[in-house]
Each structure stands twice: as structure tokens, then as C-alpha cells.
Amino acid sequence: MSAGSRAGRPETARKPQRSTAGNIAFAAGLILVLASTILGAFAGVYLTLKLADESFLSPAIPEDGRIALVIGGVGFGAMVGGFLPLTILGLFGGTDENGTGEKPRLRPIEASRKMLGVLLFGIYLVVVSVVVAQLGWILPEGLVVLAGVFAVGFGWVPLALLPWERFGLEGVRSRFASSKKAN
């Protein structure tokens, strides 16, 4: 029965296959993004530990709250480290394989805005983790770690609920909605 339904389908309806060079380029890009994400996370941990130990904030961070600050550093570093190569690749990306221009290149001003937004979001995550680290004054370290994971993990929720249209940033919510409709 299934053989009969395939018999009427033309051969041109199949999806085009990627070339070997395209597969190699995709794998290289994936490795680059994953490596920069991991290295960014390690750099974020290093920076937040320096922030907790050797900066003006060191007296304000309790010993039981240091791990919450490290969790924020992981979020900050991974976000910036992951989006930096994606934005750079977007600068050099071209049109799709059919040449219709559905995936245009990023302009430098758009790329800088995207990176500034990612950087500000990463700083927001560090601020959230500093606030959660203050729980170390009254709670044991295990509960502060648990609170830090939830606070940093769900730190994007308040930003998603902001009325971006009031700030003149209509494209933020509409781009998110259009990408959901496309799927």
C-alpha cells in the first residue's frame, strides 16, 4: 500500500542534499561555537571569582554565596562566548543556496547592537547572581546554590515580560513572535 503512494510522487520533490564541503563547513562552525561557549563559561567563572575575591564587592559576598556568583559567571560567559561567533558568522553569511536572499548578511551596526544586547543580558545575569549570593548570609551553601541555579536559569523571564513597545523596541517582541510562527 505504501509503495503505491510513492509511485505517483515525482523525484524532484525530494529535499536537496548538502555537499561534502557544506557538511565540513557546518561541522567547523558548530565546533567553533561550542568551543567559544565553553571557553566563555570558563572565562566568566574566572572573572566572577575575581569579582568575589579581589574587588570592592569582596566584603559584600558571603563565603556561602560565592557559588551563586560562579553560576552567574557561567551564564554570562556562555552567553557572550556562544553569541560572539554566531554574530561574526552572520556578518559574513550570504544568501541561501537558492539565491533568494531570505538570510541576508548582518550589517555591522546590527551586529554591534546584537552583541551589546547579549553583553547587557550577561551583566544582568551577574547582577541577579550577586543578589542571590546575598542569601549566603542567612542560608546554608546548598540552598544558596539551588536558589542561584533557579535565579540564573530563569533570569530571562522578567525580560520576556517587559513591554518592549513602550521603550521604542517594537522589533524585539515581533521578531520573537514571527520566529515562533515560522516553526
Side-chain angles (χ1 to χ4, degrees):
M1 218 187 254
S2 63
S5 64
R6 289 185 189 169
R9 187 183 315 170
E11 284 293 318
T12 59
R14 292 180 22 191
K15 293 183 180 179
Q17 298 292 321
R18 279 193 196 141
S19 65
T20 304
N23 286 338
I24 291 172
F26 177 77
L30 182 66
I31 290 170
L32 173 73
V33 170
L34 291 176
S36 65
T37 301
I38 291 170
L39 290 175
F42 281 120
V45 168
Y46 177 78
L47 289 174
T48 53
L49 281 177
K50 287 291 184 183
L51 182 70
D53 293 338
E54 300 174 5
S55 74
F56 65 95
L57 278 180
S58 60
I61 305 296
E63 193 63 34
D64 287 344
R66 289 181 75 232
I67 300 299
L69 195 62
V70 168
I71 293 168
V74 169
F76 168 72
M79 287 284 298
V80 174
F83 277 101
L84 179 66
L86 288 175
T87 306
I88 291 172
L89 289 173
L91 283 169
F92 298 109
T95 60
D96 60 346
E97 58 191 32
N98 296 331
T100 59
E102 291 180 17
K103 298 177 187 175
R105 293 181 182 169
L106 279 176
R107 294 185 320 221
I109 198 78
E110 291 173 334
S112 61
R113 283 183 191 159
K114 285 180 185 267
M115 282 312 300
L116 180 63
V118 168
L119 185 64
L120 290 175
F121 181 69
I123 291 171
Y124 168 76
L125 289 180
V126 171
V127 169
V128 166
S129 67
V130 167
V131 170
V132 172
Q134 299 307 307
L135 293 174
W137 295 110
I138 56 175
L139 294 176
E141 185 177 11
L143 291 176
V144 175
V145 169
L146 185 64
V149 167
F150 278 105
V152 172
F154 293 110
W156 58 271
V157 173
L159 294 177
L161 297 175
L162 280 174
W164 293 103
E165 296 83 18
R166 290 191 180 194
F167 301 119
L169 300 171
E170 294 86 13
V172 173
R173 191 170 304 237
S174 64
R175 285 184 188 156
F176 180 70
S178 66
S179 67
K180 283 181 97 175
K181 288 178 187 176
N183 293 332

